[in-house]
Amino acid sequence: MDAFFASAEQASKPSLRGKAVVVGGLGPRGVVATASYEARVFGVHSAMPMAQARRLAPNAAYLVPRFGFYRAISEQVMGLLRDLSPLVEPLSLDEAFVDLEAGGAAWDEESARLAGAKLRADIRAVTGLTGSVGLAASKMLAKIASEQAKPDGLVVIEPGTERALIGPMSVRILPGVGPATGDHLRRAGIHTVEEIVEAGEDELVRLLGKAHGHGLYAMAMAYDERSVVAERETKSVSVEDTYDVDIHDRMRVGFEVQRLADRCVRRLRGAGLSGRTIVLKVRRYDFSTLTRSETLRGPTDDPAVVREAAARLLESVDTTGGVRLLGVGVSGLADYTQEDLFAQAAGERVELGEEVAEEAVAEEGPVVAERRWASGHDVRHAEFGHGWVQGSGLGRVTVRFETPDSEPGRVRTFSVDDPALAVAEPLPLVRVECGAAGLRPDPGSHSHRP
DNA sequence: TCTGGGGTCCTAGTGCCC
DNA sequence: TCTGGGGCACTAGGACCC
Protein backbone atom coordinates (compact mmCIF):
# COMPACT_ATOMS: atom_id res chain seq x y z
CA MET A 1 0.00 0.00 0.00
CA ASP A 2 1.27 3.47 -0.83
CA ALA A 3 2.03 5.73 2.19
CA PHE A 4 -0.53 3.54 3.90
CA PHE A 5 -1.39 5.29 7.18
CA ALA A 6 -1.37 8.73 5.57
CA SER A 7 -3.43 7.57 2.57
CA ALA A 8 -5.99 5.95 4.84
CA GLU A 9 -6.31 9.23 6.75
CA GLN A 10 -6.68 11.22 3.55
CA ALA A 11 -9.37 8.84 2.30
CA SER A 12 -11.15 9.15 5.62
CA LYS A 13 -10.91 12.96 5.76
CA PRO A 14 -11.78 14.78 2.50
CA SER A 15 -10.27 18.05 3.70
CA LEU A 16 -6.81 16.42 3.83
CA ARG A 17 -6.76 15.09 0.26
CA GLY A 18 -3.93 16.58 -1.73
CA LYS A 19 -2.44 18.02 1.48
CA ALA A 20 0.69 17.17 3.44
CA VAL A 21 -0.27 14.65 6.13
CA VAL A 22 2.09 13.23 8.73
CA VAL A 23 1.10 10.29 10.96
CA GLY A 24 3.15 9.52 14.05
CA GLY A 25 3.66 10.10 17.76
CA LEU A 26 2.71 13.64 18.70
CA GLY A 27 4.57 13.74 22.04
CA PRO A 28 7.90 15.53 22.43
CA ARG A 29 9.73 12.31 21.50
CA GLY A 30 7.48 11.14 18.70
CA VAL A 31 8.73 10.02 15.29
CA VAL A 32 7.06 9.92 11.88
CA ALA A 33 5.36 6.63 11.05
CA THR A 34 4.19 7.65 7.56
CA ALA A 35 4.25 10.86 5.56
CA SER A 36 1.93 11.45 2.60
CA TYR A 37 3.62 12.04 -0.75
CA GLU A 38 2.70 15.72 -0.42
CA ALA A 39 4.63 15.85 2.88
CA ARG A 40 7.61 14.00 1.41
CA VAL A 41 8.13 16.92 -0.96
CA PHE A 42 9.24 18.93 2.11
CA GLY A 43 11.75 16.22 3.03
CA VAL A 44 9.61 14.54 5.70
CA HIS A 45 10.07 10.77 5.87
CA SER A 46 9.47 7.77 8.12
CA ALA A 47 11.46 7.49 11.37
CA MET A 48 12.24 11.23 11.36
CA PRO A 49 11.72 12.96 14.72
CA MET A 50 8.37 14.75 14.71
CA ALA A 51 10.00 18.01 15.84
CA GLN A 52 12.13 17.99 12.71
CA ALA A 53 9.11 17.17 10.53
CA ARG A 54 7.26 20.14 12.01
CA ARG A 55 10.12 22.43 11.14
CA LEU A 56 10.23 21.13 7.56
CA ALA A 57 6.46 21.10 7.02
CA PRO A 58 4.87 23.42 9.58
CA ASN A 59 1.56 23.52 7.71
CA ALA A 60 1.08 19.77 7.38
CA ALA A 61 -1.70 17.95 9.26
CA TYR A 62 -0.23 15.96 12.17
CA LEU A 63 -2.22 12.91 13.27
CA VAL A 64 -1.74 10.06 15.73
CA PRO A 65 -1.93 6.56 14.21
CA ARG A 66 -5.23 4.65 14.43
CA PHE A 67 -3.99 1.08 14.29
CA GLY A 68 -7.43 -0.47 14.71
CA PHE A 69 -8.62 1.38 11.63
CA TYR A 70 -5.55 0.45 9.57
CA ARG A 71 -5.79 -3.17 10.71
CA ALA A 72 -9.36 -3.39 9.43
CA ILE A 73 -8.27 -2.13 5.98
CA SER A 74 -5.25 -4.42 6.06
CA GLU A 75 -7.48 -7.44 6.68
CA GLN A 76 -9.55 -6.56 3.61
CA VAL A 77 -6.40 -6.39 1.48
CA MET A 78 -4.94 -9.60 2.91
CA GLY A 79 -8.27 -11.26 2.10
CA LEU A 80 -7.85 -10.27 -1.55
CA LEU A 81 -4.31 -11.70 -1.53
CA ARG A 82 -5.53 -15.00 -0.08
CA ASP A 83 -8.03 -15.21 -2.92
CA LEU A 84 -4.98 -15.38 -5.21
CA SER A 85 -2.96 -17.95 -3.29
CA PRO A 86 -2.85 -19.84 0.01
CA LEU A 87 0.79 -18.76 0.31
CA VAL A 88 0.59 -15.18 1.60
CA GLU A 89 3.34 -13.87 3.89
CA PRO A 90 2.42 -10.55 5.53
CA LEU A 91 5.43 -8.37 6.33
CA SER A 92 3.47 -5.67 8.07
CA LEU A 93 -0.01 -4.16 7.95
CA ASP A 94 0.59 -2.83 4.45
CA GLU A 95 2.90 -5.28 2.71
CA ALA A 96 2.91 -8.98 1.87
CA PHE A 97 4.55 -11.53 -0.39
CA VAL A 98 2.24 -13.77 -2.45
CA ASP A 99 3.34 -16.95 -4.20
CA LEU A 100 1.20 -16.67 -7.33
CA GLU A 101 2.30 -20.00 -8.75
CA ALA A 102 1.27 -21.88 -5.62
CA GLY A 103 -2.23 -20.49 -5.99
CA GLY A 104 -2.44 -21.19 -9.72
CA ALA A 105 -3.10 -17.47 -10.20
CA ALA A 106 -0.16 -17.08 -12.60
CA TRP A 107 2.14 -19.34 -14.59
CA ASP A 108 3.96 -16.94 -16.90
CA GLU A 109 4.69 -13.26 -17.25
CA GLU A 110 1.45 -12.41 -18.99
CA SER A 111 -0.79 -14.16 -16.48
CA ALA A 112 1.20 -12.62 -13.61
CA ARG A 113 0.76 -9.16 -15.09
CA LEU A 114 -2.98 -9.72 -15.41
CA ALA A 115 -3.26 -11.02 -11.84
CA GLY A 116 -1.30 -8.00 -10.56
CA ALA A 117 -3.44 -5.53 -12.48
CA LYS A 118 -6.66 -7.13 -11.27
CA LEU A 119 -5.38 -7.13 -7.70
CA ARG A 120 -4.65 -3.41 -7.85
CA ALA A 121 -8.14 -2.73 -9.21
CA ASP A 122 -9.70 -4.90 -6.50
CA ILE A 123 -7.74 -3.16 -3.73
CA ARG A 124 -8.94 0.18 -5.02
CA ALA A 125 -12.56 -0.96 -5.29
CA VAL A 126 -12.66 -2.57 -1.85
CA THR A 127 -10.62 -0.09 0.19
CA GLY A 128 -10.62 3.10 -1.89
CA LEU A 129 -6.82 3.16 -1.57
CA THR A 130 -4.01 2.54 -4.03
CA GLY A 131 -1.53 -0.29 -3.79
CA SER A 132 1.56 -1.10 -5.81
CA VAL A 133 2.56 -4.49 -7.14
CA GLY A 134 6.04 -5.85 -7.84
CA LEU A 135 6.26 -9.09 -9.83
CA ALA A 136 9.47 -11.14 -9.94
CA ALA A 137 10.91 -14.59 -9.46
CA SER A 138 12.07 -14.07 -5.87
CA LYS A 139 11.09 -12.19 -2.75
CA MET A 140 14.03 -9.81 -2.89
CA LEU A 141 13.33 -8.85 -6.50
CA ALA A 142 9.57 -8.59 -5.97
CA LYS A 143 10.25 -6.17 -3.13
CA ILE A 144 12.58 -4.07 -5.28
CA ALA A 145 9.98 -4.11 -8.05
CA SER A 146 7.23 -2.96 -5.71
CA GLU A 147 9.42 -0.10 -4.42
CA GLN A 148 9.94 0.97 -8.02
CA ALA A 149 6.22 0.68 -8.70
CA LYS A 150 5.24 3.13 -5.93
CA PRO A 151 3.07 5.02 -5.95
CA ASP A 152 0.12 3.37 -7.63
CA GLY A 153 1.95 1.23 -10.16
CA LEU A 154 2.99 -2.24 -11.29
CA VAL A 155 6.53 -3.30 -12.19
CA VAL A 156 7.67 -6.65 -13.55
CA ILE A 157 11.29 -7.78 -13.39
CA GLU A 158 11.73 -10.17 -16.26
CA PRO A 159 13.85 -13.28 -15.76
CA GLY A 160 17.35 -12.77 -17.14
CA THR A 161 17.35 -9.01 -16.55
CA GLU A 162 17.86 -9.12 -12.76
CA ARG A 163 21.63 -8.68 -12.47
CA ALA A 164 21.76 -5.85 -14.98
CA LEU A 165 18.89 -4.10 -13.22
CA ILE A 166 20.16 -4.17 -9.64
CA GLY A 167 23.89 -3.90 -10.46
CA PRO A 168 24.06 -0.08 -10.57
CA MET A 169 21.74 0.35 -7.56
CA SER A 170 22.95 1.35 -4.09
CA VAL A 171 23.81 -1.49 -1.69
CA ARG A 172 21.03 -0.11 0.49
CA ILE A 173 18.36 -1.69 -1.72
CA LEU A 174 19.46 -5.15 -0.59
CA PRO A 175 17.51 -6.60 2.35
CA GLY A 176 19.67 -6.54 5.48
CA VAL A 177 21.73 -3.52 4.48
CA GLY A 178 20.84 -0.69 6.82
CA PRO A 179 22.78 2.40 7.87
CA ALA A 180 25.50 0.48 9.75
CA THR A 181 26.24 -2.15 7.09
CA GLY A 182 25.90 0.50 4.39
CA ASP A 183 28.59 2.61 6.11
CA HIS A 184 30.78 -0.43 6.65
CA LEU A 185 30.65 -1.26 2.94
CA ARG A 186 31.16 2.35 1.93
CA ARG A 187 34.34 2.54 4.01
CA ALA A 188 35.54 -0.52 2.08
CA GLY A 189 34.86 1.33 -1.16
CA ILE A 190 31.70 -0.64 -1.97
CA HIS A 191 28.75 1.54 -2.96
CA THR A 192 26.74 -0.43 -5.52
CA VAL A 193 25.41 -3.94 -5.85
CA GLU A 194 27.79 -4.77 -8.68
CA GLU A 195 30.72 -3.64 -6.52
CA ILE A 196 29.67 -6.30 -4.00
CA VAL A 197 29.87 -8.90 -6.76
CA GLU A 198 33.28 -7.56 -7.85
CA ALA A 199 34.59 -7.65 -4.27
CA GLY A 200 33.84 -11.36 -4.11
CA GLU A 201 32.28 -13.60 -1.50
CA ASP A 202 35.41 -14.06 0.63
CA GLU A 203 35.85 -10.32 1.02
CA LEU A 204 32.19 -9.91 1.99
CA VAL A 205 32.56 -12.62 4.66
CA ARG A 206 35.72 -10.95 5.92
CA LEU A 207 33.94 -7.60 6.15
CA LEU A 208 30.59 -8.65 7.56
CA GLY A 209 30.94 -12.09 9.08
CA LYS A 210 29.80 -15.47 7.87
CA ALA A 211 26.03 -15.35 7.78
CA HIS A 212 25.70 -11.77 6.64
CA GLY A 213 28.57 -12.01 4.13
CA HIS A 214 27.36 -15.15 2.36
CA GLY A 215 23.76 -13.91 2.40
CA LEU A 216 24.57 -10.51 0.99
CA TYR A 217 26.79 -11.86 -1.74
CA ALA A 218 23.99 -14.20 -2.85
CA MET A 219 21.50 -11.32 -2.90
CA ALA A 220 23.90 -9.20 -4.96
CA MET A 221 24.07 -12.06 -7.47
CA ALA A 222 20.24 -11.83 -7.56
CA TYR A 223 20.13 -15.26 -6.00
CA ASP A 224 17.33 -15.55 -3.44
CA GLU A 225 15.69 -18.90 -2.79
CA ARG A 226 13.70 -17.88 0.28
CA SER A 227 10.20 -19.29 -0.01
CA VAL A 228 6.96 -17.54 0.85
CA VAL A 229 5.99 -18.67 4.35
CA ALA A 230 2.33 -18.26 5.24
CA GLU A 231 2.40 -19.02 8.95
CA ARG A 232 5.27 -17.67 10.99
CA GLU A 233 5.51 -18.62 14.64
CA THR A 234 5.82 -15.73 17.07
CA LYS A 235 9.20 -15.90 18.84
CA SER A 236 8.78 -13.16 21.42
CA VAL A 237 6.21 -10.76 22.83
CA SER A 238 7.20 -7.41 24.26
CA VAL A 239 5.91 -3.99 25.24
CA GLU A 240 7.85 -0.79 25.75
CA ASP A 241 7.18 2.84 26.48
CA THR A 242 9.23 5.94 25.84
CA TYR A 243 8.48 8.63 28.41
CA ASP A 244 7.96 12.26 27.49
CA VAL A 245 10.40 13.20 30.25
CA ASP A 246 13.21 11.01 31.64
CA ILE A 247 12.29 9.20 34.84
CA HIS A 248 14.76 9.68 37.68
CA ASP A 249 12.79 8.37 40.64
CA ARG A 250 13.78 4.75 41.26
CA MET A 251 10.36 3.95 42.80
CA ARG A 252 8.62 5.25 39.70
CA VAL A 253 10.93 3.17 37.47
CA GLY A 254 10.00 0.10 39.48
CA PHE A 255 6.31 0.91 39.22
CA GLU A 256 6.51 1.38 35.42
CA VAL A 257 8.32 -1.94 35.04
CA GLN A 258 5.50 -3.67 36.94
CA ARG A 259 2.91 -2.08 34.67
CA LEU A 260 4.83 -3.10 31.56
CA ALA A 261 5.14 -6.66 32.90
CA ASP A 262 1.35 -6.81 33.30
CA ARG A 263 0.75 -5.42 29.83
CA CYS A 264 3.19 -7.90 28.37
CA VAL A 265 1.46 -10.82 30.08
CA ARG A 266 -1.91 -9.66 28.76
CA ARG A 267 -0.48 -9.72 25.24
CA LEU A 268 1.04 -13.11 25.89
CA ARG A 269 -2.22 -14.57 27.12
CA GLY A 270 -4.15 -12.91 24.35
CA ALA A 271 -2.00 -14.88 21.91
CA GLY A 272 -2.48 -18.08 23.92
CA LEU A 273 1.22 -18.28 24.77
CA SER A 274 3.57 -18.58 27.70
CA GLY A 275 7.32 -18.09 27.79
CA ARG A 276 10.49 -18.99 29.67
CA THR A 277 12.80 -16.00 29.23
CA ILE A 278 11.93 -12.62 30.71
CA VAL A 279 13.73 -9.62 29.21
CA LEU A 280 14.01 -6.15 30.71
CA LYS A 281 15.02 -3.30 28.40
CA VAL A 282 16.27 0.06 29.64
CA ARG A 283 17.19 3.02 27.50
CA ARG A 284 19.02 5.61 29.55
CA TYR A 285 19.07 9.39 29.36
CA ASP A 286 22.00 9.26 26.91
CA PHE A 287 20.16 6.81 24.59
CA SER A 288 22.43 3.93 25.59
CA THR A 289 20.30 0.80 25.67
CA LEU A 290 20.83 -2.28 27.74
CA THR A 291 18.91 -5.50 28.21
CA ARG A 292 18.89 -7.98 31.06
CA SER A 293 17.26 -11.37 30.83
CA GLU A 294 16.50 -14.33 33.02
CA THR A 295 15.43 -17.80 31.95
CA LEU A 296 12.99 -19.64 34.19
CA ARG A 297 12.78 -23.40 34.64
CA GLY A 298 9.56 -23.60 32.65
CA PRO A 299 7.25 -21.36 30.61
CA THR A 300 4.90 -19.05 32.43
CA ASP A 301 2.07 -16.64 31.72
CA ASP A 302 1.72 -15.77 35.38
CA PRO A 303 1.78 -11.98 35.87
CA ALA A 304 3.25 -12.29 39.36
CA VAL A 305 6.12 -14.43 38.09
CA VAL A 306 6.90 -12.05 35.21
CA ARG A 307 6.63 -9.01 37.48
CA GLU A 308 9.01 -10.53 40.03
CA ALA A 309 11.53 -11.54 37.37
CA ALA A 310 11.41 -8.07 35.83
CA ALA A 311 11.91 -6.49 39.25
CA ARG A 312 14.93 -8.75 39.91
CA LEU A 313 16.44 -7.79 36.57
CA LEU A 314 15.92 -4.10 37.32
CA GLU A 315 18.01 -4.46 40.49
CA SER A 316 21.09 -5.09 38.33
CA VAL A 317 20.63 -1.88 36.33
CA ASP A 318 21.95 1.52 37.27
CA THR A 319 19.26 4.08 36.46
CA THR A 320 20.89 7.15 38.02
CA GLY A 321 20.89 9.86 35.40
CA GLY A 322 17.37 8.89 34.33
CA VAL A 323 15.69 6.54 31.87
CA ARG A 324 13.80 7.50 28.73
CA LEU A 325 12.45 4.06 27.81
CA LEU A 326 11.49 0.91 29.65
CA GLY A 327 10.40 -2.38 28.14
CA VAL A 328 9.46 -5.89 29.25
CA GLY A 329 9.44 -8.88 26.93
CA VAL A 330 9.02 -12.64 27.03
CA SER A 331 10.73 -15.08 24.66
CA GLY A 332 11.33 -18.81 24.56
CA LEU A 333 7.63 -19.14 23.83
CA ALA A 334 5.44 -22.21 24.22
CA ASP A 335 1.73 -22.93 23.94
CA TYR A 336 -0.16 -23.13 27.20
CA THR A 337 0.77 -26.17 29.25
CA GLN A 338 -1.68 -28.11 31.39
CA GLU A 339 0.31 -27.23 34.52
CA ASP A 340 -0.01 -23.55 33.79
CA LEU A 341 -3.74 -23.81 33.48
CA PHE A 342 -4.15 -25.78 36.70
CA ALA A 343 -1.59 -23.93 38.76
CA GLN A 344 -2.69 -20.47 37.86
CA ALA A 345 -6.42 -20.79 37.39
CA ALA A 346 -8.73 -18.14 38.79
CA GLY A 347 -6.69 -15.73 40.91
CA GLU A 348 -4.50 -14.01 38.40
CA ARG A 349 -7.09 -13.84 35.72
CA VAL A 350 -9.24 -11.70 37.97
CA GLU A 351 -6.18 -9.66 38.88
CA LEU A 352 -5.46 -8.90 35.24
CA GLY A 353 -9.11 -8.51 34.27
CA GLU A 354 -9.35 -5.17 36.00
CA GLU A 355 -6.80 -3.67 33.68
CA VAL A 356 -8.21 -4.90 30.41
CA ALA A 357 -10.02 -1.61 29.89
CA GLU A 358 -6.79 0.28 30.24
CA GLU A 359 -5.10 -1.93 27.67
CA ALA A 360 -7.93 -1.49 25.18
CA VAL A 361 -7.70 2.26 25.58
CA ALA A 362 -3.93 2.25 25.22
CA GLU A 363 -4.46 1.00 21.66
CA GLU A 364 -6.66 3.84 20.55
CA GLY A 365 -6.01 6.69 22.99
CA PRO A 366 -6.19 7.39 26.72
CA VAL A 367 -9.36 8.14 28.65
CA VAL A 368 -8.21 11.30 30.34
CA ALA A 369 -10.43 14.20 29.21
CA GLU A 370 -7.84 16.23 27.29
CA ARG A 371 -6.16 13.27 25.68
CA ARG A 372 -9.42 11.54 24.92
CA TRP A 373 -9.68 13.83 21.90
CA ALA A 374 -6.65 12.53 20.07
CA SER A 375 -5.82 14.34 16.83
CA GLY A 376 -7.34 12.57 13.87
CA HIS A 377 -9.70 10.33 15.82
CA ASP A 378 -13.36 10.08 14.87
CA VAL A 379 -16.11 11.68 16.92
CA ARG A 380 -19.86 12.14 16.68
CA HIS A 381 -21.76 15.24 17.74
CA ALA A 382 -25.45 15.01 18.60
CA GLU A 383 -26.28 17.96 16.35
CA PHE A 384 -23.51 18.15 13.72
CA GLY A 385 -22.97 14.44 13.09
CA HIS A 386 -19.73 12.63 12.25
CA GLY A 387 -16.34 14.34 12.29
CA TRP A 388 -12.77 14.09 13.46
CA VAL A 389 -10.62 15.86 16.02
CA GLN A 390 -8.44 18.49 14.40
CA GLY A 391 -6.84 19.53 17.68
CA SER A 392 -7.42 20.00 21.38
CA GLY A 393 -5.98 21.91 24.31
CA LEU A 394 -6.79 24.51 26.94
CA GLY A 395 -10.14 22.85 27.59
CA ARG A 396 -11.29 23.11 23.96
CA VAL A 397 -11.52 20.55 21.18
CA THR A 398 -11.75 21.48 17.50
CA VAL A 399 -13.70 19.14 15.24
CA ARG A 400 -14.01 19.03 11.47
CA PHE A 401 -17.35 17.60 10.38
CA GLU A 402 -16.93 15.45 7.30
CA THR A 403 -17.11 11.81 6.21
CA PRO A 404 -15.20 9.80 3.59
CA ASP A 405 -17.80 10.48 0.92
CA SER A 406 -18.73 14.05 1.84
CA GLU A 407 -17.27 17.33 0.60
CA PRO A 408 -14.56 18.87 2.84
CA GLY A 409 -16.39 19.90 5.99
CA ARG A 410 -16.72 22.83 8.42
CA VAL A 411 -14.70 23.22 11.61
CA ARG A 412 -16.29 23.89 15.01
CA THR A 413 -14.86 24.21 18.51
CA PHE A 414 -16.38 22.77 21.70
CA SER A 415 -15.55 22.43 25.35
CA VAL A 416 -13.66 19.15 26.01
CA ASP A 417 -16.49 18.04 28.30
CA ASP A 418 -19.31 18.93 25.90
CA PRO A 419 -21.90 16.18 26.55
CA ALA A 420 -23.06 16.26 22.91
CA LEU A 421 -19.63 15.05 21.74
CA ALA A 422 -18.63 11.38 21.85
CA VAL A 423 -15.82 9.19 20.52
CA ALA A 424 -16.95 7.35 17.35
CA GLU A 425 -15.85 4.39 15.25
CA PRO A 426 -14.16 5.15 11.92
CA LEU A 427 -16.51 5.02 8.93
CA PRO A 428 -15.72 2.63 6.05
CA LEU A 429 -13.78 4.32 3.25
CA VAL A 430 -15.95 2.73 0.60
CA ARG A 431 -19.70 2.70 1.06
CA VAL A 432 -21.06 -0.81 1.54
CA GLU A 433 -24.43 -2.04 0.31
CA CYS A 434 -27.14 -2.43 2.94
CA GLY A 435 -26.82 -5.71 4.79
CA ALA A 436 -23.50 -6.56 3.19
CA ALA A 437 -20.81 -7.95 5.46
CA GLY A 438 -18.51 -5.01 4.86
CA LEU A 439 -16.25 -6.26 2.12
CA ARG A 440 -18.50 -5.80 -0.87
CA PRO A 441 -17.70 -2.61 -2.70
CA ASP A 442 -20.32 -0.18 -3.85
CA PRO A 443 -19.65 -0.14 -7.61
CA GLY A 444 -18.04 3.09 -8.62
CA SER A 445 -17.89 4.45 -5.11
CA HIS A 446 -14.17 5.13 -5.39
CA SER A 447 -15.04 7.79 -7.92
CA HIS A 448 -16.16 9.89 -4.96
CA ARG A 449 -12.50 10.70 -4.51
CA PRO A 450 -11.45 13.87 -6.28
C1' DT B 1 18.18 17.02 15.07
C1' DC B 2 17.67 14.00 18.55
C1' DT B 3 16.07 9.71 17.68
C1' DG B 4 8.71 5.01 18.49
C1' DG B 5 7.17 0.29 18.95
C1' DG B 6 7.19 -4.48 17.95
C1' DG B 7 9.51 -7.70 16.11
C1' DT B 8 13.61 -11.00 13.88
C1' DC B 9 18.20 -12.61 13.28
C1' DC B 10 23.19 -12.81 14.10
C1' DT B 11 27.47 -12.69 16.81
C1' DA B 12 30.32 -13.29 20.62
C1' DG B 13 31.45 -14.57 25.28
C1' DT B 14 30.82 -17.79 29.05
C1' DG B 15 29.82 -21.91 31.46
C1' DC B 16 28.61 -26.66 31.46
C1' DC B 17 28.60 -31.44 29.91
C1' DC B 18 30.47 -35.20 27.52
C1' DT C 1 44.08 -36.98 36.24
C1' DC C 2 44.65 -33.42 33.00
C1' DT C 3 43.61 -31.21 28.68
C1' DG C 4 41.14 -30.12 24.55
C1' DG C 5 37.32 -29.56 21.82
C1' DG C 6 32.52 -29.93 20.19
C1' DG C 7 27.89 -28.88 21.20
C1' DC C 8 24.52 -26.56 23.65
C1' DA C 9 22.16 -23.14 26.58
C1' DC C 10 22.19 -18.76 28.19
C1' DT C 11 23.17 -13.79 28.13
C1' DA C 12 24.01 -9.26 26.05
C1' DG C 13 24.37 -6.30 22.38
C1' DG C 14 23.75 -4.72 17.72
C1' DA C 15 21.67 -4.34 13.18
C1' DC C 16 17.75 -4.43 10.57
C1' DC C 17 12.79 -4.27 9.04
C1' DC C 18 8.18 -1.94 8.66
Side-chain angles (χ1 to χ4, degrees), chain A residues 89-127:
Chain A
E89 179 178 336
L91 290 183
S92 61
L93 283 180
D94 74 325
E95 221 173 355
F97 290 118
V98 183
D99 186 330
L100 291 175
E101 255 178 39
W107 49 92
D108 60 6
E109 194 195 318
E110 189 51 33
S111 56
R113 226 179 248 280
L114 284 173
K118 178 172 184 304
L119 172 64
R120 295 201 332 105
D122 288 347
I123 288 173
R124 177 137 198 164
V126 168
T127 69

Side-chain angles (χ1 to χ4, degrees), chain A residues 8-9 11-13 64-73 364 376-380 386-388 402-404 422-430 432:
Chain A
E9 296 299 345
S12 167
K13 301 171 170 68
V64 290
R66 297 188 290 163
F67 287 106
F69 176 48
Y70 310 142
R71 197 170 296 124
I73 300 170
E364 297 290 340
H377 283 221
D378 287 77
V379 291
R380 171 160 284 282
H386 194 97
W388 58 278
E402 60 185 4
T403 64
V423 170
E425 288 297 308
L427 297 174
L429 299 181
V430 172
V432 291

Side-chain angles (χ1 to χ4, degrees), chain A residues 234-239 260-278 296 299-303 306 328-336 340 344 349 352 359:
Chain A
T234 304
K235 306 248 167 106
S236 66
V237 173
S238 66
V239 295
L260 289 162
D262 284 348
R263 255 169 64 196
C264 185
V265 166
R266 275 197 295 278
R267 280 266 182 81
L268 200 62
R269 287 184 170 184
L273 296 167
S274 56
R276 263 186 87 199
T277 304
I278 317 301
L296 309 171
T300 185
D301 70 341
D302 182 336
V306 176
V328 172
V330 176
S331 60
L333 300 184
D335 291 343
Y336 276 122
D340 287 333
Q344 299 157 16
R349 292 192 192 267
L352 277 174
E359 177 73 354

Side-chain angles (χ1 to χ4, degrees), chain A residues 100-357:
Chain A
L100 291 175
E101 255 178 39
W107 49 92
D108 60 6
E109 194 195 318
E110 189 51 33
S111 56
R113 226 179 248 280
L114 284 173
K118 178 172 184 304
L119 172 64
R120 295 201 332 105
D122 288 347
I123 288 173
R124 177 137 198 164
V126 168
T127 69
L129 302 176
T130 64
S132 296
V133 169
L135 295 162
S138 71
K139 293 210 281 195
M140 173 188 73
L141 293 165
K143 172 106 173 117
I144 291 171
S146 79
E147 293 299 327
Q148 291 198 317
K150 282 175 190 291
D152 198 14
L154 181 150
V155 165
V156 183
I157 297 180
E158 290 174 34
T161 67
E162 297 95 337
R163 290 272 302 274
L165 178 83
I166 65 173
M169 293 179 174
S170 159
V171 294
R172 289 294 303 271
I173 61 128
L174 298 178
V177 182
T181 309
D183 264 10
H184 204 124
L185 292 171
R186 191 172 45 75
R187 283 197 298 274
I190 298 171
H191 304 88
T192 64
V193 174
E194 62 203 359
E195 282 168 353
I196 290 182
V197 177
E198 285 162 15
E201 191 165 16
D202 291 346
E203 176 66 1
L204 259 283
V205 171
R206 196 186 63 77
L207 283 169
L208 305 175
K210 226 188 303 176
H212 208 177
H214 286 302
L216 216 53
Y217 183 76
M219 296 285 181
M221 297 282 287
Y223 184 76
D224 174 21
E225 292 240 291
R226 296 171 303 162
S227 53
V228 176
V229 182
E231 300 290 331
R232 282 201 185 277
E233 260 179 48
T234 304
K235 306 248 167 106
S236 66
V237 173
S238 66
V239 295
E240 61 187 53
D241 275 341
T242 293
Y243 301 97
D244 288 355
V245 176
D246 290 353
I247 305 179
H248 291 84
D249 177 29
R250 184 76 183 183
M251 289 270 286
R252 167 92 195 283
V253 172
F255 174 72
E256 293 296 334
V257 166
Q258 302 294 291
R259 277 188 35 181
L260 289 162
D262 284 348
R263 255 169 64 196
C264 185
V265 166
R266 275 197 295 278
R267 280 266 182 81
L268 200 62
R269 287 184 170 184
L273 296 167
S274 56
R276 263 186 87 199
T277 304
I278 317 301
V279 185
L280 174 73
K281 176 172 171 180
V282 179
R283 178 166 289 151
R284 292 192 273 212
Y285 66 98
D286 61 354
F287 217 73
S288 63
T289 306
L290 45 86
T291 59
R292 292 290 178 269
S293 62
E294 176 181 314
T295 299
L296 309 171
R297 282 219 291 275
T300 185
D301 70 341
D302 182 336
V305 172
V306 176
R307 253 186 255 144
E308 283 161 18
R312 274 196 301 278
L313 291 166
L314 179 61
E315 283 170 18
S316 68
V317 178
D318 178 13
T319 59
T320 50
V323 298
R324 61 182 293 141
L325 170 148
L326 290 168
V328 172
V330 176
S331 60
L333 300 184
D335 291 343
Y336 276 122
T337 64
Q338 275 309 94
E339 295 141 345
D340 287 333
L341 292 176
F342 283 117
Q344 299 157 16
E348 300 126 20
R349 292 192 192 267
V350 171
E351 202 180 327
L352 277 174
E354 291 168 8
E355 296 176 58
V356 166

